[in-house]
Amino acid sequence: MTIKRVGIIGAGKVGIVLAGLALNAGYEVRISGSGSTEKIDLTIKTLVPGAIAAENEEVVANSDIIILAIPLSRYRNIDAGLFKNKLVIDATNYWWETDGIREEVLSPDSTSSEQVQAYFKDATIVKGFNHMGYHNLQEEAHAKGDAKRKALFITGDNHEAVDTVAQFVDTMGFDQIVHYNLADGIMTEPGSPLFGASLNYEDLKQIIDHFDETEFCKKVAASKFNE
């Protein structure tokens, strides 16, 4: 799959940063916000000149890959069929300050990305860009081989889709640690050792290699991330 056009759903801090990285990498970028195109057009022209402000439908129709960069609690506000046959990077996280009570947003019996996948059942969801803060994403993207280059964790059930996203992440300025199980996205959600991690490949891999996913899953199920 050749990616030339990137669509971003969400014109908040993460969406704007990822739009900038994608433009720097040479992609055509469309981005939508929660309001009308006119509402975000000036913001887009000011912060990421070159990106195209558009409605959700136009973003999806004219993009080879989609990045979902909205508060997790709002993903059900999007038509479940909008992403049909699309490759979607889920960059969302549950965060109590913006999403409210977790039980009202997510079921306790699976990870957030699994629930996003279940909702957008005709799309292919890959988890990525969610454990590193937007400041780090913006400031720590580097060319391949640069000693300062950081790594991102990527996971999903579809091997081909995950590999495509890994190549895309490489062009965005980050190394990649890849898993092929969407449920492993729990390792990057708030409350996990990886959340907030801005590390190079070896340091991030060391954390993942020593990560007891089973025990963490039990912890998550018990606490439901109450903070």
Side-chain angles (χ1 to χ4, degrees):
M1 178 181 178
T2 301
I3 298 172
K4 295 182 178 180
R5 306 171 302 167
V6 176
I8 300 174
I9 306 295
K13 293 172 182 176
V14 173
I16 293 295
V17 166
L18 293 176
L21 293 177
L23 285 169
N24 291 341
Y27 295 106
E28 179 180 299
V29 178
R30 286 176 173 81
I31 184 168
S32 63
S34 57
S36 65
T37 301
E38 292 74 19
K39 183 178 178 180
I40 67 167
D41 190 52
L42 180 59
T43 300
I44 299 305
K45 288 180 178 177
T46 302
L47 297 180
V48 277
I52 302 167
E55 301 287 350
N56 287 351
E57 291 77 9
E58 182 183 345
V59 169
V60 173
N62 293 282
S63 298
D64 303 312
I65 193 169
I66 309 297
I67 302 175
L68 187 63
I70 61 174
L72 178 62
S73 55
R74 299 179 189 171
Y75 77 90
R76 290 182 179 273
N77 294 345
I78 300 172
D79 183 343
L82 182 63
F83 298 149
K84 184 176 181 179
N85 299 325
K86 287 291 186 176
L87 173 54
V88 180
I89 302 175
D90 178 18
T92 67
N93 281 308
Y94 166 75
W95 192 247
W96 67 273
E97 290 184 342
T98 54
D99 296 319
I101 299 171
R102 190 175 192 274
E103 292 91 328
E104 296 178 357
V105 179
L106 294 169
S107 169
D109 57 2
S110 67
T111 66
S112 63
S113 285
E114 289 177 287
Q115 292 176 55
V116 170
Q117 176 68 86
Y119 181 73
F120 297 112
K121 61 184 180 60
D122 295 320
T124 301
I125 302 294
V126 174
K127 187 84 165 181
F129 291 118
N130 72 299
H131 68 76
M132 189 181 291
Y134 69 90
H135 281 303
N136 296 117
L137 287 169
Q138 184 175 41
E139 298 167 3
E140 298 184 6
H142 295 283
K144 192 170 185 176
D146 192 311
K148 297 179 180 179
R149 188 162 154 116
K150 300 300 176 66
L152 292 172
F153 180 77
I154 304 161
T155 191
D157 293 333
N158 184 302
H159 285 218
E160 183 179 357
V162 172
D163 290 345
T164 296
V165 171
Q167 293 171 11
F168 173 68
V169 168
D170 185 47
T171 67
M172 295 279 273
F174 300 92
D175 289 333
Q176 321 90 49
I177 294 178
V178 170
H179 279 203
Y180 296 104
N181 181 7
L182 190 59
D184 287 354
I186 197 169
M187 293 194 287
T188 62
E189 293 183 10
S192 76
L194 269 66
F195 184 69
S198 179
L199 302 169
N200 63 29
Y201 178 90
E202 291 300 330
D203 289 343
L204 189 65
K205 188 175 186 300
Q206 184 174 21
I207 292 178
I208 293 170
D209 288 346
H210 289 85
F211 191 97
D212 189 339
E213 181 188 354
T214 302
E215 287 305 312
F216 186 66
C217 286
K218 291 178 181 177
K219 175 184 174 183
V220 170
S223 68
K224 301 179 185 177
F225 281 121
N226 287 330
E227 301 180 17

